[in-house]
């Protein structure tokens, strides 16, 4: 599908339109190209220049040294619970922490809605599907963002007691998979696809899929995704294939699928129609590009002008084009009816210099007379706009380029069989010889390129299957306007409405062997072939017999060899994965899905089609909410793309990787030499020592810490800082376990500091509640980080450390209201246990591995009255209603004597930090009262029972 656009004028012939069988809508715009595309290209050149130049400043390079890896060596068979009674390692190591937990979660069935029996279960379901990645590839950081966000929501809802279903899956990726297997067969056996029968080739594809197709599932498990693997869904599974067939037949029966001749986007390299995922490469002028099938680079970005002599008139009409080879298919010349330059030639004819064909000079108000010569060559069989003109003026359509990209017999013997871009120069030479050539100049243009093959897209006139999208699109728009479907963030609603309001019919045919073969059959009739469809060949035969009034055995059928567009099958995913069209228990319990979370770049290709097909086939919206996240970009602002060589495998961030191996991966790709040079230079500057081992928890936390509505320029430094946070958590628990000793007292805070930290925890829980519901995950992570680092560690632990470190009950820091130092220490230990345990539970959706490890080690100290689940992943998520809201305390501290220099420095930094960075909330009003003393008042009115501690104010600059 693609939006209808304005008519291309003579200077715009360089832009090849996407496939559309609906009339194009005129526009008064005089701009040759959309400004965003030109701006995008300009920025791309600037970024490449910055990367390649010595002026590039790599200030954001990750500063790191190799950490000693600690391995978990205890014998733990897969699926057996990890032994947390072993000695606590002295420092955090991802290898140690992330070992064994996932296999245990999976074996215990914690990810299945039937098996996680929750004491706090509620009568509510939460269901969604993972956007199915292509089976051919591997995940990149964009996928990792999707997994991190969705798993955080899934784990949060599961801990709330909901029946949660998160279905994994893979897309068969018709073009990509077939291309991979074809290259493999050519490399290993020296054979083309055509050397096999269709059945033999499909066996090779399945063999490859069974060997390589599990790699993505391995990555998903490594990312900690709590998916229900028993329901894993592949779009070529038998049950899913039956759903695809059912959908096609129903849409045909309702008249929404039809077969028609129209211009489609064709890849000569793939020998197939292709979808709307083309790359529009902006060219500022003459550019030499590599094209599949050509030994030498081909020239693009130039405009050729030539003349057509006018019959019975002493004059000519000059036209311009970026594709002179298509002039063999010209059938008319169009001018604006009000253009004064051409009033005298209205109704006259031009003679084609090579075919001797007479071509009418037509008038049409859609021609822009302000651009170029004001006259337009009309080639209906090779240009989408010209196809529209041919419909308006009843013009013939002459195809001159074949499916293989060579010129056909309509061009004459001198060009027949010549490759289209080789024919380009021959045509220019022939025009020059006939003295009809009028010049060539550089011309900015957007060149459509097949993202799968790198081939230049060629519009061709072919009979294909289409889906009528107009009525379905109106329902999708209405669903949002009525509030039945919520799009988050809401500003995407305008984009949704604009695109669906101008939607074109959708070409769903693909000339491939790998995919869902179209369940349509050609009936051999004496007059002309007709088409029928059915869930099986026998059903199609019965339909044909009824339709034509003959006996079934007299019908001869031939199934269409084409397959359906991959987006057609993926558009059925939310309900086909649950067993549709059968009324399965899963379909009844979990459909419609609760939410769809995906990248904003899929709003048209996937999301809109799911909504349209879901409403049409199930009479229900496939989901109630759509949550979009933005793109993940590299440090230079470039979208992560295989074509740029800047894709980062999340496993390389989790495990670490050397610069040498990173550059080997770039060389293994099929990049243009310039793109390869840019990619490798960027890697040298960004990762001079490679990528350090950061671990899964750090990567997930870093990804969720970004605002989802803004493009994410993720740097490894950010992920590394989250690893440091993991180590902070690790060391905090080591201290906590040492302080707890033999047990904890009941939670009854007595000191002002105890009441203050509990108030900070309560406030953090409230922030998590509110922002999880609003899908503001970056605010949740910020609140959790701030509480753990600034409130718990920098204030509470630093202040209470002398008390908590005492083993004999003595104390250097006592509240006047305490009856004994021993009692104060017991209460502080209880408060510490409460804060750490609750914080780990709050962090669990984002950092499942380290929180499980630490929480399990904390369980021996759990109060006997506090029930606990076997795993933190099933523990109730803390809510403000479950906590006793502590009174808001005031804590006034005059620092002069009694505290260690380290503690005084901590307070000094806190005060200065809070003054300089007021966005960090400590729940404190902080003021400096003299050069020697500081007062920190924490929340609320003055408490007459507060304590004052005196110590010289450290005059250190730190």
């Amino acid at each position: 599908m693609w939006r209808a656009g304005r008519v291309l004028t003579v200077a715009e012939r360089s832009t090849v339109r996407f496939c559309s069988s609906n009339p194009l809508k005129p526009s008064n715009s005089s701009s040759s190209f959309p400004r965003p595309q030109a701006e995008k290209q300009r920025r791309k050149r600037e970024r490449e220049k910055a990367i390649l130049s010595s002026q590039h400043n790599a200030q954001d390079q990750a500063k790191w040294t190799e950490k000693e890896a600690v391995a978990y060596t205890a014998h733990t068979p897969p699926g057996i619970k990890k032994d947390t009674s072993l000695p606590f390692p002295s420092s955090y190591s991802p290898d140690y922490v992330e070992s064994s937990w996932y296999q245990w979660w999976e074996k215990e069935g914690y990810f299945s809605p039937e098996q996680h029996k929750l004491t706090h279960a509620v009568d509510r379901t939460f269901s969604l599907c993972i956007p199915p990645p292509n089976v051919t590839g591997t995940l990149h950081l964009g996928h990792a963002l999707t997994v991190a966000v969705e798993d955080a929501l899934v784990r949060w809802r599961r801990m709330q007691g909901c029946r949660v279903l998160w279905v994994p899956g893979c897309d068969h990726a018709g073009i990509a998979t077939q291309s991979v297997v074809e290259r493999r067969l050519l490399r290993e056996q020296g054979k083309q696809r055509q050397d096999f029968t269709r059945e033999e080739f499909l066996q090779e594809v399945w063999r490859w899929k069974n060997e390589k197709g599990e790699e993505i599932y391995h990555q998903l498990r490594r990312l900690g995704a709590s998916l229900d693997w028993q329901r894993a869904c592949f779009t070529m599974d038998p049950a899913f294939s039956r759903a695809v067939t059912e959908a096609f037949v129903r849409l045909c029966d309702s008249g929404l699928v039809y077969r028609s001749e129209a211009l489609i986007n064709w890849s000569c390299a793939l020998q197939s129609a292709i979808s709307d995922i083309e790359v529009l490469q902006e060219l500022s002028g003459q550019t030499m590009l590599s094209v599949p099938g050509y030994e030498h680079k081909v020239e693009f970005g130039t405009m050729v002008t030539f003349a057509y002599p006018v019959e019975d008139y002493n004059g000519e009409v000059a036209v311009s084009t970026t594709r002179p080879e298509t002039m063999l298919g010209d059938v008319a010349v169009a001018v604006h009816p009000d253009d004064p330059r051409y009033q005298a030639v209205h109704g006259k004819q031009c003679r084609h210099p090579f075919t001797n064909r007479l071509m009418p000079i037509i008038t049409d108000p859609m021609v822009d007379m302000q651009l170029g010569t004001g006259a337009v060559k009309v080639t209906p069989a090779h240009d989408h706009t010209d196809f529209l003109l041919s419909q308006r003026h009843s013009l013939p359509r002459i195809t001159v380029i074949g499916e293989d990209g060579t010129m056909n017999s309509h061009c004459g013997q001198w060009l027949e069989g010549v490759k289209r871009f080789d024919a380009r120069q021959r045509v220019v030479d022939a025009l020059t010889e006939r003295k009809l050539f009028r010049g060539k100049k550089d011309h900015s243009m957007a060149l459509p390129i097949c993202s799968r093959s790198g081939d230049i897209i060629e519009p061709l006139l072919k009979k294909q299957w289409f889906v009528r999208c107009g009525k379905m699109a109106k329902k999708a728009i209405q669903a949002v306007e009525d509030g039945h479907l919520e799009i988050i963030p809401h500003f995407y609603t305008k984009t949704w409405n604009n695109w669906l309001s101008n939607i074109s019919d959708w070409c769903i045919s693909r000339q491939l062997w790998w995919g869902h073969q179209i369940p349509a059959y050609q009936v051999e009739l004496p007059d002309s072939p007709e088409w029928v469809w059915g869930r099986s060949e026998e059903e199609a035969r019965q339909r044909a017999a009824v339709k034509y009034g003959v006996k079934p055995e007299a019908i001869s059928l031939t199934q269409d060899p084409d397959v359906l567009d991959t987006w057609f099958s993926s558009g059925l995913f939310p309900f086909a994965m649950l067993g549709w069209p059968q009324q399965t228990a899963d379909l009844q319990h979990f459909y419609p899905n609760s939410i769809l979370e995906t990248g904003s770049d899929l709003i048209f290709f996937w999301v809109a089609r799911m909504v349209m097909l879901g409403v049409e086939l199930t009479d229900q919206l496939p989901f109630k909410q759509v949550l979009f996240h933005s793109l993940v970009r590299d440090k230079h602002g470039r979208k992560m793309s295989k074509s740029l060589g800047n894709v980062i495998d999340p496993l390389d961030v989790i495990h670490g990787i050397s610069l040498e191996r990173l550059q080997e991966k770039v060389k293994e790709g099929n990049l243009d030499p310039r793109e390869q040079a840019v990619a490798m230079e960027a890697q040298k500057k960004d990762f001079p020592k490679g990528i350090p081992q950061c671990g899964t928890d750090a990567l997930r936390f870093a990804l969720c810490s970004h605002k989802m509505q803004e493009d994410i320029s993720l740097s490894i430094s950010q992920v590394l800082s989250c690893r440091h946070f993991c180590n902070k958590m690790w060391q905090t628990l080591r201290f906590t376990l040492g302080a707890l000793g033999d047990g904890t007292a009941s939670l009854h805070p007595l000191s002002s500091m105890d009441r203050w930290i509990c108030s900070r925890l309560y406030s953090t829980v409230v922030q998590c509640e509110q922002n999880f519901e609003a899908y503001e995950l970056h605010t949740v992570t910020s609140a959790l980080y701030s509480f753990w680092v600034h409130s718990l560690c920098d204030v509470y632990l630093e202040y209470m450390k002398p008390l908590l470190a005492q083993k004999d009950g003595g104390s250097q820091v006592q509240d006047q209201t305490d009856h004994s130092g021993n009692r104060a220490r017991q209460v502080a230990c209880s408060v510490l246990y409460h804060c750490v345990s609750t914080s780990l539970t709050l962090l669990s959706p984002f950092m499942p591995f380290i929180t499980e490890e630490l929480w399990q080690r904390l369980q021996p100290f759990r109060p006997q009255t506090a029930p606990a689940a076997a795993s933190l992943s099933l523990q109730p998520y803390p809510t403000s209603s479950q906590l006793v809201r502590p009174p808001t305390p005031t804590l006034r501290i005059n620092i002069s004597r009694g505290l260690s220099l380290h503690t005084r420095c901590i307070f000094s930094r806190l005060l200065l930090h809070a003054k300089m960075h007021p966005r960090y909330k400590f729940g404190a009003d902080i003021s400096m009262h003299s050069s020697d003393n500081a007062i920190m008042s924490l929340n609320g009115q003055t408490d007459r029972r507060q304590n004052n501690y005196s110590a010289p104010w450290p005059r250190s600059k730190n």
Side-chain angles (χ1 to χ4, degrees), residues 841-901:
T841 311
L842 292 169
L843 281 162
S844 178
F846 303 100
M847 312 173 84
F849 292 104
I850 189 172
T851 53
E852 183 78 69
E853 176 84 25
L854 299 181
W855 185 82
Q856 293 285 354
R857 289 181 177 272
L858 202 59
Q859 289 315 290
F861 303 95
R862 184 182 77 251
Q864 297 300 317
T865 57
S871 168
L872 178 57
S873 61
L874 303 183
Q875 188 76 355
Y877 199 77
T879 62
S880 57
S881 61
Q882 295 169 343
L883 298 179
V884 177
R885 183 170 186 174
T888 306
T890 297
L891 183 64
R892 177 185 174 93
I893 304 173
N894 288 346
I895 302 177
S896 56
R897 257 188 262 289
L899 298 180
S900 68
L901 177 63

Side-chain angles (χ1 to χ4, degrees), residues 132 170-173 233-237 240-241 244 516 569-570 573:
C170 267
D171 191 277
H172 65 276
C233 184
F234 179 51
T235 53
M236 287 292 287
D237 287 340
F240 202 103
S241 296
V244 173
H516 299 102
S569 54
S570 62
F573 207 86

Side-chain angles (χ1 to χ4, degrees), residues 44 48 51 140 633-634 636 638-649 652 659 661-684 686-687 691:
K44 177 184 176 182
E48 288 183 351
I51 292 171
H140 53 67
R633 300 183 180 274
D634 64 13
H636 311 282
R638 302 180 302 164
K639 177 183 176 181
M640 288 195 174
S641 167
K642 291 181 181 179
S643 62
L644 295 178
N646 62 345
V647 168
I648 297 178
D649 186 334
D652 291 341
L659 174 63
R661 180 58 189 137
L662 278 174
Q663 303 219 314
E664 285 176 10
K665 287 189 173 185
V666 172
K667 293 177 182 178
E668 291 168 2
N670 297 316
L671 290 182
D672 176 89
R674 174 177 172 80
E675 297 288 3
Q676 186 180 102
V678 172
M680 295 179 71
E681 185 63 24
Q683 288 179 337
K684 289 179 183 177
D686 295 343
F687 317 117
I691 297 176

